[in-house]
Amino acid sequence: MDSTVAIPSSSATVSRYLRPKRSFDSMVILWIMLALLLMFLVINPLCRLIIDSFRQVGGTDFTLANYVAAFSRARHIQAVINTLWMASFASLIAVAMAVPLAWAVSRTDMPGRDWAHASVIAAFIIPTFLGAIGWMLLAGPNAGWLNRIFVGVFGTATGPFNIFSFSGLCFVIGIYAFPLIYVFTRSALDLISTEMEEAAAVHGAGTLRTMLKVTLPLALPAILGGFILVFLEATALYGTPALIAIPARFNVATTQLATFFEHPLRVEVAAAFSMPMIGVTILLLWVQRLMLSNRSYVSVSGKGGDRRLVRLGPWKWLLAAYALLISLVTVLLPLLVLLHCAFAKAWGQGASISNLTLDNFHHIFFEQLTVRQSMWNTFSYAAVTATACCTLGFGIAYIVQRRLLPLTPVLSFLTLSPVIIPGIVLAICFYSAYAGAPFYLYGSSAIIMVAFVTRFLPIAFVTVGSGIRSINPELEEAVRILGGNRLMVLRRVVAPLLKKTILGAWILTFVLATRELSTAVFLSGPETRVISVLTLDLSEQGRYEILAAMGVVLLVVTTVVVLAGMRVLGRDFMLRQP
């Protein structure tokens, strides 16, 4: 009788431990705090931008005068038209570079494929504004290296190259945006079985015809998606247009926005001028989402299939020469001229030994406080930004993937929404929200880092979120059954399993934050300038030797970080499509 009573008692004890607890989970407070922080980062600045666009200058009344001021002048409208043309041509240049190279690396026996892929990573690491400086030194109309070589060889009065032109601007933007299209195209090509290509070959199609009629059409949605992203990035760039378009005396949208921040300050007009940029971004991202969501368009055969390399014969050397040309244009020539300038007493005096010096590096490290401060700001802001993005992105991604709060789709949308806001527009958002009362953060390091975190949070969120999806929730439930709370689950299970994913997100965010210019240029003050902002100032002063030395330091630090990441995470982590 006693044993009969003890058995159900034991069963009741076991079921009591196995049954999920219904008591209040204190971790909900943390989830809510993260959601509120996200609203502070995203909703408040964007709402303030919209409100300011309808607010009377110096008052609080509703008005459309800001939109009239923004779009009533022909110069302003021409800036928008120039931007659309610039983005279109730059995107076409990027496609012409990226698609053949991606096909060559992914599908052919071209020699040096690993080297070509490494050159794409190097082109991605080089900031666009630093690449623009390199090409200003290479193709400036008078003292540019290429023009001087041409004049010396052919004896002409002037050289044929002029980077300070509309075509020069499109060229520079395109050659440093092509890695985006390369990533999308190669990712699609890597997924395509060669069975379709072999079938075309059996029916008499040659290599070129098979590529044009079979391979590239299967990858077309990815190519178009990359084209749209490059187009949007080109419309939002400020640094390269400021370096090239302003001296060339033509206007684009971002340089026009900068004029609204000159005296007298017209933030409300700038907010109104920003609205079409946001609208175009939303529209094109929606189109891109529609195209890339149809992934089944790429996979025609249900079989795994072999992926045999296309044998090009003698043509492989022509393709290798094309890959070498891309490497020369994007990496080798700009780096060579930047290194020469960094070690030169006067960069226009030739490459003789008597013109070489280490004074430029001594100057930036030991003499020039402004440069040293900007370098410290750049790397410290980037480290804080990367850490904050990974921490917040990890928390928000966990909430969304495990549906720990109501309306998690809304939370996901808010986290990703900074993607639709160009960097320069985001700067205007934060200026409107936090420059004045009650925060008074303008010119402080706080407003720059908050803006950086908001801008790059989607990268960490998407990267970490994909990792969380791969973890079986049963592992977490086992810890909770044994008495652990959600915090222990995160510390002991989820975070250790995702350490490489989080590290990859941290490195990518760090690299992007060190090169960010569009957001920083309108938010930094004299004590909070970063390298990208100081680059513009030194360029205007003609101090290219100091500028180049500072750029070399930036490249060395980011390259070391990326190489360390490649050693731990694999060589493709920087160019892996989420």
Side-chain angles (χ1 to χ4, degrees):
M1 184 69 178
D2 291 340
S3 61
T4 305
V5 174
I7 292 174
S9 175
S10 176
S11 301
T13 302
V14 172
S15 63
R16 186 167 64 251
Y17 280 101
L18 293 178
R19 190 166 54 243
K21 297 180 180 180
R22 301 296 181 184
S23 59
F24 175 75
D25 187 357
S26 60
M27 291 296 294
V28 172
I29 299 176
L30 177 60
W31 311 142
I32 294 175
M33 289 177 62
L34 289 176
L36 292 176
L37 177 59
L38 182 65
M39 294 175 64
F40 173 81
L41 291 174
V42 177
I43 295 180
N44 183 41
L46 188 57
C47 288
R48 285 295 300 269
L49 179 74
I50 297 172
I51 292 171
D52 279 357
S53 71
F54 292 103
R55 184 169 61 87
Q56 183 180 12
V57 177
T60 57
D61 295 339
F62 176 87
T63 182
L64 293 175
N66 299 323
Y67 287 87
V68 173
F71 298 104
S72 60
R73 296 186 59 183
R75 174 181 171 83
H76 299 174
I77 300 298
Q78 188 61 48
V80 176
I81 295 173
N82 290 343
T83 300
L84 296 177
W85 280 113
M86 174 195 72
S88 300
F89 284 121
S91 301
L92 290 174
I93 291 172
V95 168
M97 295 174 62
V99 174
L101 186 63
W103 178 74
V105 172
S106 176
R107 311 307 296 263
T108 75
D109 63 341
M110 179 189 76
R113 287 181 298 147
D114 290 341
W115 177 78
H117 182 77
S119 71
V120 177
I121 297 178
F124 176 77
I125 294 174
I126 298 175
T128 307
F129 65 86
L130 201 57
I133 294 292
W135 273 99
M136 287 166 59
L137 301 178
L138 283 168
N142 297 318
W145 271 24
L146 297 181
N147 284 320
R148 292 169 63 185
I149 292 173
F150 187 91
V151 170
V153 172
F154 296 100
T156 58
T158 59
F161 306 106
N162 183 10
I163 202 66
F164 298 107
S165 61
F166 181 80
S167 58
L169 176 62
C170 296
F171 170 76
V172 172
I173 293 176
I175 65 175
Y176 290 107
F178 92 95
L180 279 175
I181 300 180
Y182 173 90
V183 170
F184 276 78
T185 305
R186 187 183 173 188
S187 297
L189 292 174
D190 286 345
L191 294 174
I192 299 174
S193 171
T194 57
E195 291 176 352
M196 296 290 291
E197 298 166 334
E198 292 168 2
V202 169
H203 286 83
T207 300
L208 181 61
R209 185 177 180 85
T210 300
M211 180 189 70
L212 295 177
K213 296 292 186 179
V214 179
T215 309
L216 292 185
L218 291 174
L220 186 60
I223 296 172
L224 291 177
F227 178 92
I228 289 174
L229 288 182
V230 169
F231 184 95
L232 293 176
E233 181 172 329
T235 61
L237 278 179
Y238 175 74
T240 305
L243 290 166
I244 296 177
I246 292 178
R249 297 185 178 180
F250 66 88
N251 212 14
V252 296
T254 52
T255 55
Q256 181 58 52
L257 275 172
T259 64
F260 296 136
F261 277 78
E262 297 173 355
H263 184 77
L265 188 65
R266 294 177 291 171
V267 179
E268 295 82 3
V269 179
F273 194 78
S274 303
M275 290 299 125
M277 296 180 67
I278 296 178
V280 169
T281 304
I282 294 174
L283 175 63
L284 291 181
L285 285 177
W286 177 73
V287 172
Q288 187 253 5
R289 183 179 180 87
L290 286 180
M291 290 187 297
L292 292 185
S293 63
N294 189 17
R295 295 296 181 103
S296 60
Y297 182 75
V298 175
S299 180
V300 177
S301 173
K303 302 176 182 179
D306 296 327
R307 295 189 64 259
R308 299 183 180 91
L309 295 179
V310 177
R311 303 296 175 182
L312 297 176
W315 293 102
K316 66 183 179 181
W317 299 108
L318 180 63
L319 204 55
Y322 180 75
L324 176 61
L325 176 64
I326 291 178
S327 179
L328 282 172
V329 166
T330 58
V331 179
L332 298 180
L333 285 177
L335 280 184
L336 181 62
V337 73
L338 284 171
L339 284 170
H340 166 258
C341 189
F343 288 97
K345 296 177 182 178
W347 75 271
Q349 300 300 317
S352 62
I353 296 180
S354 61
N355 192 39
L356 298 180
T357 181
L358 293 174
D359 289 346
N360 298 323
F361 291 94
H362 184 274
H363 185 76
I364 65 175
F365 283 117
F366 302 106
E367 296 180 9
Q368 191 65 30
L369 178 61
T370 302
V371 177
R372 192 164 65 249
Q373 183 66 47
S374 71
M375 291 193 296
W376 168 255
N377 291 342
T378 298
F379 299 124
S380 60
Y381 294 171
V384 172
T385 297
T387 303
C389 283
C390 290
T391 303
L392 183 58
F394 176 73
I396 297 296
Y398 187 75
I399 294 171
V400 170
Q401 295 300 325
R402 298 298 184 251
R403 300 184 180 276
L404 301 179
L405 290 177
L407 302 176
T408 51
V410 175
L411 202 62
S412 178
F413 172 79
L414 289 178
T415 309
L416 294 173
S417 58
V419 171
I420 70 172
I421 309 175
I424 193 169
V425 178
L426 187 68
I428 299 172
C429 290
F430 276 88
Y431 185 94
S432 299
Y434 303 120
F439 299 100
Y440 298 106
L441 294 180
Y442 178 70
S444 67
S445 58
I447 194 172
I448 296 176
M449 286 188 286
V450 169
F452 279 14
V453 169
T454 306
R455 178 159 171 72
F456 300 119
L457 178 60
I459 296 174
F461 172 77
V462 171
T463 304
V464 177
S466 62
I468 293 176
R469 282 197 302 271
S470 66
I471 298 177
N472 194 329
E474 293 180 359
L475 294 174
E476 304 166 31
E477 291 302 321
V479 176
R480 301 197 68 196
I481 288 173
L482 295 173
N485 58 18
R486 287 279 184 184
L487 186 59
M488 180 178 290
V489 168
L490 293 176
R491 288 192 298 107
R492 299 293 181 87
V493 178
V494 181
L497 291 175
L498 293 179
K499 59 184 179 182
K500 288 190 175 181
T501 301
I502 295 173
L503 177 60
W506 191 95
I507 294 175
L508 182 58
T509 305
F510 177 87
V511 171
L512 293 175
T514 59
R515 58 195 287 176
E516 176 59 22
L517 172 60
S518 300
T519 303
V521 68
F522 298 128
L523 298 177
S524 61
E527 302 297 326
T528 58
R529 283 185 300 183
V530 292
I531 288 177
S532 56
V533 176
L534 188 59
T535 296
L536 299 183
D537 298 338
L538 294 175
S539 176
E540 291 176 358
Q541 300 168 18
R543 303 175 66 186
Y544 291 108
E545 297 84 5
I546 301 300
L547 185 157
M550 188 174 60
V552 168
V553 173
L554 173 63
L555 287 176
V556 168
V557 173
T558 53
T559 300
V560 168
V561 172
V562 170
L563 290 177
M566 293 173 65
R567 183 175 180 84
V568 175
L569 305 173
R571 67 171 190 169
D572 290 338
F573 85 98
M574 288 290 292
L575 295 178
R576 191 176 297 143
Q577 184 181 352

